[in-house]
Amino acid sequence: LSSAQDVEAGDGTTSVVVICGALLSAAERLLSRGLHPSVVSKAWQKAAAEAAKILEKSAIPIDLTDRENLIKTATTSLNSKVIGGYSQALAPLAVDAVLSVCEDIKTSTNVDLNDIKIVKRMGGTLEDTELVLDGLVLDQGCVKAAGGPTSMQDCKIGLIQFCLSAPKTDMENQVIVADSAQIDRIFREERRYILKMIKKIVKSGCNVLLVQKSILRDATAQLSQHYLAKKKIMLIQDIERKEIEFISKSLGCKPIAHIDAFTPDMLGSAKSVSEDASGTGKVIRISGVKNPGKAATILLNASNRLVLDEADRSLHDALCVVRCLVKMRSMIAGGASFEAELNPQLGE
């Protein structure tokens, strides 16, 4: 029940369990008097419908352009959490993030929270948390083993879903090498295979390359890392499959599944890409995206893992609360005041 409440509303997970427990306790007393369970169930459904009507009559309409009231609502959600002392800093970020991914403030009836990514980083305080709208933040570093660049200006960004390494045989097959000449031939073929792909990438004008993580073989070979570094192409690998859609939307690029499809029109453009090593971890900052989609990234900072995880959960609740206001543009008073009001009204 609490999980369902978290998915639908994001907040009120404790309250819904308390209310359910009270209802079950009351139902137990009714059943002991001989009432049939279907009678109790129908009465609850009738009471729920009646309660919804009462709440709709008493609800205060809200406009999504009224940023102040939206922030107050998000602040109310955050105040009951461990990080309530930072609600004034986090609430505006939650409101701005939801409104930025909303297709149309006047007509939209829902918001996909998958378009908002929360990146957690150890270091700093919650007040250092920032919202990135014209770019992207990745919670990983770039590849520097071959001497590749760690920052780039005027970037052309490619997002690939194939491997920059020599193909492998099937699981049940094997290649037997008899002499050193055959070893040299294998190395030459591997070098030729990788060089062909690198030339295609260089020809497109790409200077920042994002590579999807592979479970079958190495996403990038040492040889491909060497050639990319030689051509001053920044390499970021091990991009998770589930992040591909979000990255494509944020950067305005298209995922490339085969080297033959690596053309300039598939690339995204950004002003700068750099690795930020402040704190205990590394993040990649992509800023100044020319054609960003409806996506946002929140870079969450905290001094320790406990606060960071709690802030992540609390911020998710605040995002869900603002999303609820997009779905139904009205609000009611909190603090169980309407629950108390429903008691006498339903009794009548």
Side-chain angles (χ1 to χ4, degrees), residues 163-309:
C163 297
L164 290 176
S165 58
K168 302 288 185 181
T169 60
D170 293 335
M171 295 295 291
E172 298 178 356
N173 296 337
Q174 59 181 349
V175 177
I176 299 176
V177 181
D179 54 42
S180 59
Q182 290 179 338
I183 295 176
D184 292 339
R185 183 182 175 187
I186 291 174
F187 179 76
R188 286 196 302 272
E189 289 297 327
E190 180 181 350
R191 182 173 176 271
R192 188 180 296 113
Y193 179 85
I194 292 176
L195 266 176
K196 184 179 178 181
M197 292 192 292
I198 298 298
K199 287 178 180 178
K200 187 85 173 178
I201 293 171
V202 173
K203 185 179 178 181
S204 68
C206 173
N207 56 9
V208 177
L209 191 63
L210 307 179
V211 185
Q212 180 179 317
K213 189 175 184 178
S214 174
I215 60 173
L216 300 177
R217 66 179 196 262
D218 293 336
T220 58
Q222 289 185 351
L223 196 59
S224 60
Q225 293 175 13
H226 168 73
Y227 287 132
L228 288 172
K230 198 172 180 181
K231 294 295 182 180
K232 301 299 181 184
I233 297 177
M234 188 175 178
L235 176 62
I236 305 164
Q237 62 180 5
D238 292 339
I239 302 295
E240 296 289 346
R241 174 66 185 88
K242 61 183 179 181
E243 295 182 356
I244 294 295
E245 183 179 354
F246 177 80
I247 292 174
S248 301
K249 185 178 290 188
S250 299
L251 302 181
C253 63
K254 299 176 183 177
I256 304 170
H258 195 272
I259 188 62
D260 292 337
F262 207 109
T263 53
D265 60 293
M266 303 290 282
L267 306 179
S269 299
K271 187 176 180 180
S272 66
V273 178
S274 61
E275 182 183 82
D276 185 359
S278 60
T280 58
K282 296 178 180 179
V283 296
I284 297 291
R285 288 177 177 269
I286 304 175
S287 57
V289 176
K290 292 186 178 179
N291 299 304
K294 292 284 186 178
T297 305
I298 298 176
L299 180 58
L300 193 61
N301 296 277
S303 57
N304 59 69
R305 179 61 58 184
L306 181 64
V307 175
L308 198 60
D309 292 340

Side-chain angles (χ1 to χ4, degrees), residues 56 107 166 329:
E56 287 175 2
T107 60
R329 305 188 181 189

